[in-house]
Amino acid sequence: MQITRIDCIPFNLPMKNPVRYAGGTLTVSEHVLVQVHTDEGLIGSAEAPSRPFFYGESQASMLAAVRQWFAPALVGQDPMGFERAWAAFDQVEHNDTIKGALDIAMHDIAGQAMGVPCHRLLGGWDTSARVTYICGYGAPQAMADEALAVRERYGIDSFKLKVGVDARQDVAMLHTLRQALPDVTLYVDGNSGLNASDALRVLDAGYEIGMAWAEEPVHRDDRPGRALVQKHTRVPIMGDESCRNPAEVAREVADGFVQLVGIKTARTGFRISRNIVAQCAALRIRNVIASQGDSTLGILAALHFTVAHRATASQPAELGFHLNTVADLLEDDALPPIVGGRMRASEAPGLGVRLDAAKLSRYRVD
Ligand SMILES: [Mg+2]
């Protein structure tokens, strides 16, 4: 089997409510649909989310990267030749999410060709995952009301709370949330927005309310600040923006700054995400599947990866971002529903992607 063509289709999805975080507000998802075609008629699909503030990519730059570098390297090659594909990807710096999407689309083809779902192809640890819902930054009571409504409707019992704009409000929010939801998993994401002393105030409050961990409170380049937080907090720290690839994971772990590492399949595809899982397993570092603002297409891929591996299936996974978008590209039942706070992967071959042609023509922007 050979790759014959790669199609890249930019599409924009409006958000139900803009998601505010330290550093910005997400009002629309600007993603690219990647479709890898083969001479046997199989098509692998994945999405690449453009996040210029994290990865420096835009929809236009992703299309250009595929046209100029990655399609010439992949066309004519075996779609299961992941090692060769990554050797070609490594020739070009950055461009993380488009590389990730190409890798995932190739795995989709591999699963379809073998007649097995990707979660079995990758590891087959479990078939369902506990889902985390992400509450955007807001007034404490509004965040509590949002979390309560989500818990009521979907049975979700794990919440990530955006912090890092105002530490005093963050402290109040943590107490409000814990009072409203005494028995759920709570963690925060500072998106690198806090200085060390503000971070410690939020983490102290987090320790009091039994917060599970805190994600990236202090910027990766603030090494003294990260060291100070590490020295004085009893809350485990999770790396996200500081752990974008295996080399960065190695640095943060070696410096003792992270006790958990977030994995985004949109950022490291399946192959490099698996490398990070192995790297962390060797060091007894926990992994959490995190969201890159994925639409249902990206969540489907993350779901397969989550349940496939013991490390990622052991922690709640951020597979609920679609609850905050009003649109997607898949047929309505293509992403499994969240029932009792969990999502169960299907047994369809590959990723089980079923694109809705009408939705695609409505949201594509090319
Ligand atoms: Mg994060």
Side-chain angles (χ1 to χ4, degrees):
M1 186 167 35
Q2 281 189 2
I3 295 172
T4 52
R5 187 175 98 232
I6 298 170
D7 290 343
C8 293
I9 303 170
F11 64 96
N12 290 354
L13 300 175
M15 311 275 305
K16 202 180 291 179
N17 304 298
V19 175
R20 194 169 169 217
Y21 60 97
T25 304
L26 192 64
T27 55
V28 61
S29 296
E30 297 182 345
H31 296 188
V32 171
L33 169 65
V34 171
Q35 292 193 296
V36 177
H37 294 253
T38 64
D39 59 356
E40 293 188 10
L42 297 179
I43 302 170
S45 303
E47 78 172 338
S50 81
R51 292 288 180 276
F53 33 88
F54 291 139
Y55 310 117
E57 293 172 283
S58 69
Q59 288 166 319
S61 81
M62 289 194 263
L63 267 62
V66 169
R67 193 172 54 237
Q68 187 175 348
W69 299 312
F70 303 137
L74 293 178
V75 169
Q77 298 288 325
D78 178 354
M80 291 186 234
F82 303 106
E83 189 76 4
R84 282 183 181 278
W86 278 97
F89 297 164
D90 287 344
Q91 299 288 312
V92 178
E93 279 279 330
H94 309 301
N95 293 281
D96 298 15
T97 72
I98 191 65
K99 292 176 183 174
L102 289 164
D103 174 88
I104 291 169
M106 288 168 65
H107 279 87
D108 185 22
I109 294 171
Q112 293 177 56
M114 293 182 212
V116 295
C118 281
H119 62 87
R120 296 207 185 285
L121 184 70
L122 291 169
W125 172 255
D126 201 344
T127 52
S128 76
R130 193 174 153 213
V131 175
T132 292
Y133 179 81
I134 301 171
C135 292
Y137 188 85
Q141 195 56 51
M143 289 174 74
D145 291 345
E146 184 182 356
L148 277 165
V150 166
R151 163 142 178 164
E152 176 71 24
R153 180 153 176 203
Y154 301 103
I156 288 175
D157 62 355
S158 174
F159 296 91
K160 163 154 128 176
L161 312 162
K162 291 289 191 183
V163 298
V165 180
D166 176 343
R168 278 178 56 186
Q169 182 173 314
D170 294 340
V171 169
M173 181 276 292
L174 286 171
H175 288 289
T176 304
L177 260 287
R178 183 48 92 203
Q179 226 171 4
L181 294 155
D183 55 354
V184 301
T185 299
L186 296 177
Y187 61 100
V188 296
D189 183 0
N191 287 106
S192 314
L194 294 146
N195 62 43
S197 61
D198 280 348
L200 285 167
R201 287 169 70 183
V202 175
L203 293 172
D204 284 350
Y207 185 77
E208 269 181 55
I209 63 134
M211 186 162 78
W213 59 79
E215 182 178 334
E216 214 72 88
V218 174
H219 196 278
R220 62 176 175 264
D221 293 339
D222 181 0
R223 308 311 282 176
R226 288 169 86 83
L228 200 66
V229 166
Q230 192 47 48
K231 189 168 174 205
H232 293 290
T233 188
R234 287 173 287 186
V235 176
I237 302 296
M238 173 174 138
D240 174 14
E241 289 95 332
S242 66
C243 292
R244 293 169 297 183
N245 54 55
E248 290 185 346
V249 171
R251 178 177 79 157
E252 295 308 314
V253 172
D255 284 352
F257 292 165
V258 299
Q259 289 71 47
L260 301 95
V261 168
I263 291 179
K264 294 178 172 174
T265 49
R267 169 165 73 195
T268 37
F270 284 166
R271 188 169 178 86
I272 305 303
S273 296
R274 282 168 69 80
N275 290 351
I276 294 174
V277 165
Q279 183 181 19
C280 290
L283 299 163
R284 301 272 155 184
I285 297 283
R286 287 179 283 166
N287 289 129
V288 174
I289 286 292
S291 167
Q292 195 56 85
D294 313 288
S295 80
T296 51
L297 179 54
I299 292 169
L300 194 55
L303 170 64
H304 277 266
F305 190 91
T306 303
V307 303
H309 303 93
R310 183 169 58 169
T312 47
S314 310
Q315 307 294 334
E318 297 172 7
L319 303 170
F321 197 79
H322 61 302
L323 304 179
N324 194 25
T325 46
V326 288
D328 69 344
L329 296 187
L330 299 185
E331 289 178 11
D332 287 341
D333 59 348
L335 183 70
I338 300 169
V339 179
R342 298 186 73 89
M343 194 184 274
R344 179 171 296 279
S346 90
E347 294 301 315
L351 294 173
V353 172
R354 282 182 281 123
L355 290 167
D356 183 315
K359 288 182 185 175
L360 179 58
S361 69
R362 177 164 176 199
Y363 296 112
R364 66 190 298 167
V365 291
D366 55 350

